[in-house]
């Protein structure tokens, strides 16, 4: 495993700059939400950009102009279709390079170089990136399955900007993982030329964390969908109710917490030291914290009987 000292912590390549900017933007937006409402001018357009789904209900009245940019929230499935296809292609390309020793296609190699691909410096493992890319692909596949066969969507909406952001997001995440593959010129660098020799304890730990967090996220999405069904499993309404069970006993949005845990499990799989990936985790932390905060506010304003001990995002803390 490379150490922090061994990595170029100060190198702010385009990918790192992008994730840092996104993380800072969501941190700032979250901080703005913590300021008492009276102190901030209510801007319908801004609120419309940061809220989606049920949390739009808690925002100031939406002008008709805002509604023109609405996209059904059930289109979340499009994000995962793109991700399964794109990240499936990247996974195939990496596997192909590792098995045959062939370089990445020219255009992909060029793109990775622009974004800031890692030239081998000593210690980076191609197996880590391969596992993380496989996790990302499996995560997208499960989410696509949930969107199509588990979740019951209402007529909730997202902003068209959020829609496009979601599409580009999964392309960028996959490229970020691939850019962490150690390269030797145009070829993937494999220490000792045997991938299995690269297996380390943190790969096992990361995999266990990934399975554990994914299982909880799935469970939470099932709990949410069951709120809209009768005992026979038939959808009977599309309202928002108070969820109970599993991690819902601790936080209002355990599915967002599980998402964060999934990205942390990937950081573990990278061997804990990958700065670029920690910037992705930081972005996921603030974006999910913002959504969880707004959901928590929505539940507390809608239900007088909402459990008092329940936090928004982090058990016992926030
Ligand atoms: N990595 C990222 O940057 C990122 C960004 C966004 C989301 N995500 C992940 O994507 C997943 C889905 O996100 P989301 O924002 O759609 O989650 P969500 O708001 O909790 O919604 C999940 C599903 O449950 C329904 N639902 C929500 N609250 C409900 C309630 N109180 N009663 C009954 N049904 C309810 C929703 O329906 P309606 O909303 O249609 O009413 C939707 O079908 C999450 O796990 C999240 O972590 C990741």
């Amino acid at each position: 495993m490379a150490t922090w000292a061994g990595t170029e912590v100060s190198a702010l390549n385009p990918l790192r700059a992008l994730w840092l900017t996104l993380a800072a933007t969501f941190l700032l937006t979250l901080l703005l939400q913590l300021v008492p409402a009276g102190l901030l001018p209510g801007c319908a357009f801004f609120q419309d950009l940061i809220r989606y789904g049920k949390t739009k209900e808690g925002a100031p009245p939406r002008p008709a102009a805002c509604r023109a940019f609405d996209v059904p929230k059930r289109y979340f499935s499009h994000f995962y279709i793109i991700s399964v296809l794109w990240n499936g292609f990247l996974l195939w390309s990496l596997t192909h390079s590792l098995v045959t020793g062939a370089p990445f296609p020219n255009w992909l190699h060029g793109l990775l170089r622009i974004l800031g691909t890692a030239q081998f410096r000593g210690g980076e493992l191609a197996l880590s990136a391969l596992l993380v890319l496989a996790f990302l692909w499996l995560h997208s596949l499960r989410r696509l399955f949930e969107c199509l066969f588990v979740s019951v969507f209402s007529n909730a909406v997202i902003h068209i900007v959020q829609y496009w952001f979601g599409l580009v997001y999964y392309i960028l995440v996959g490229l970020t993982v691939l850019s962490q593959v150690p390269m030797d010129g145009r070829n993937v660098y494999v220490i000792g030329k045997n991938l299995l020799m690269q297996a380390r304890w943190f790969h096992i730990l990361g995999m266990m964390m990934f399975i554990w967090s994914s299982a909880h996220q799935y469970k939470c999405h099932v709990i949410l969908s069951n709120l809209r069904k009768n005992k026979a499993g038939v959808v009977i309404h599309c309202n928002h109710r108070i969820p109970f069970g599993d991690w819902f006993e601790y936080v209002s949005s355990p599915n967002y917490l599980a998402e964060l845990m999934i990205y942390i499990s990937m950081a573990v799989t990278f061997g804990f030291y990958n700065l670029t990936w920690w910037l992705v985790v930081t972005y996921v932390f603030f974006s999910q914290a913002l959504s969880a905060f707004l959901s928590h506010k929505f539940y507390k304003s809608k239900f007088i009987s909402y459990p008092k001990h329940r936090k928004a995002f982090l058990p016992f803390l926030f």
Side-chain angles (χ1 to χ4, degrees):
M1 182 183 14
T3 58
W4 278 100
T7 55
E8 292 169 42
V9 173
S10 58
L12 198 62
N13 62 38
L15 270 178
R16 287 181 182 172
L18 177 79
W19 291 115
L20 190 62
T21 307
L22 282 173
T25 306
F26 277 85
L27 168 63
L28 187 66
T29 311
L30 179 63
L31 291 176
L32 285 176
Q33 298 308 304
L34 300 174
V35 174
L39 295 180
L40 278 178
C43 171
F45 180 70
F46 174 68
Q47 292 296 334
D48 217 42
L49 268 184
I50 64 166
R51 292 165 184 264
Y52 66 91
K54 60 181 177 282
T55 60
K56 278 200 191 291
E57 280 182 36
R62 302 178 65 220
C66 284
R67 292 177 199 279
F69 299 103
D70 285 352
V71 173
K73 190 173 167 233
R74 58 170 56 84
Y75 285 6
F76 255 56
S77 58
H78 300 184
F79 307 155
Y80 303 112
I81 291 172
I82 293 288
S83 185
V84 167
L85 293 175
W86 171 251
N87 293 315
F89 164 73
L90 295 187
L91 185 58
W92 178 85
S93 301
L94 178 56
T95 310
H96 179 73
S97 290
L98 288 171
V99 172
T100 65
F104 290 145
N106 275 339
W107 65 269
L108 184 57
H109 180 68
L111 187 57
L112 291 171
R113 278 191 61 169
I114 293 169
L115 292 174
T117 191
Q119 281 296 313
F120 180 73
R121 286 185 301 268
E124 300 92 342
L125 302 172
L127 180 62
S128 302
L130 180 72
L131 285 173
V132 172
L133 204 48
F135 292 169
L136 182 64
W137 186 75
L138 286 170
H139 174 61
S140 307
L141 194 66
R142 176 181 58 80
R143 286 289 302 126
L144 178 59
F145 172 81
E146 288 172 4
C147 284
L148 297 179
F149 303 110
V150 176
S151 294
V152 179
F153 288 96
S154 63
N155 289 327
V157 294
I158 57 178
H159 196 283
I160 188 134
V161 171
Q162 293 167 329
Y163 177 74
W164 279 104
F165 179 78
L167 294 178
V168 174
Y169 171 80
Y170 282 100
I171 292 175
L172 277 175
V173 177
L175 283 172
T176 304
V177 179
L178 203 64
S179 73
Q180 300 312 299
V181 173
M183 300 294 287
D184 182 12
R186 280 192 59 208
N187 291 79
V188 176
Y189 186 91
V190 182
I191 303 168
K193 300 293 163 202
N194 183 349
L195 202 60
L196 281 180
M197 295 286 285
Q198 298 190 4
R200 300 286 186 276
W201 61 271
F202 51 79
H203 292 145
I204 309 286
L205 181 63
M207 192 182 301
M208 284 163 56
M209 272 185 72
F210 174 76
I211 296 170
W212 176 68
S213 322
S214 303
H216 277 286
Q217 193 176 57
Y218 178 77
K219 222 170 176 179
C220 292
H221 288 143
V222 170
I223 289 174
L224 286 173
S225 79
N226 284 343
L227 290 174
R228 291 175 170 170
K229 295 176 184 169
N230 65 13
K231 285 201 173 104
V234 178
V235 177
I236 46 172
H237 67 83
C238 281
N239 302 327
H240 295 101
R241 297 270 160 85
I242 305 179
F244 289 97
D246 203 56
W247 291 359
F248 279 109
E249 297 306 319
Y250 303 100
V251 290
S252 293
S253 298
N255 47 345
Y256 299 158
L257 175 62
E259 182 85 358
L260 172 66
M261 299 299 295
I262 285 167
Y263 280 78
I264 292 178
S265 77
M266 295 171 179
V268 171
T269 308
F270 267 127
F272 293 92
Y273 73 91
N274 192 303
L275 175 65
T276 308
W277 195 258
W278 280 114
L279 291 175
V280 176
V281 172
T282 309
Y283 154 73
V284 172
F285 179 88
F286 289 124
S287 84
Q288 298 297 276
L290 173 66
S291 300
F293 177 78
L294 295 173
S295 288
H296 192 61
K297 258 175 95 171
F298 163 84
Y299 283 125
K300 285 204 299 186
S301 65
K302 189 173 164 87
F303 303 105
I304 317 156
S305 61
Y306 197 67
K308 297 270 181 297
H309 66 276
R310 211 178 272 192
K311 296 288 182 187
F313 184 46
L314 302 174
F316 315 112
L317 291 175
F318 171 73

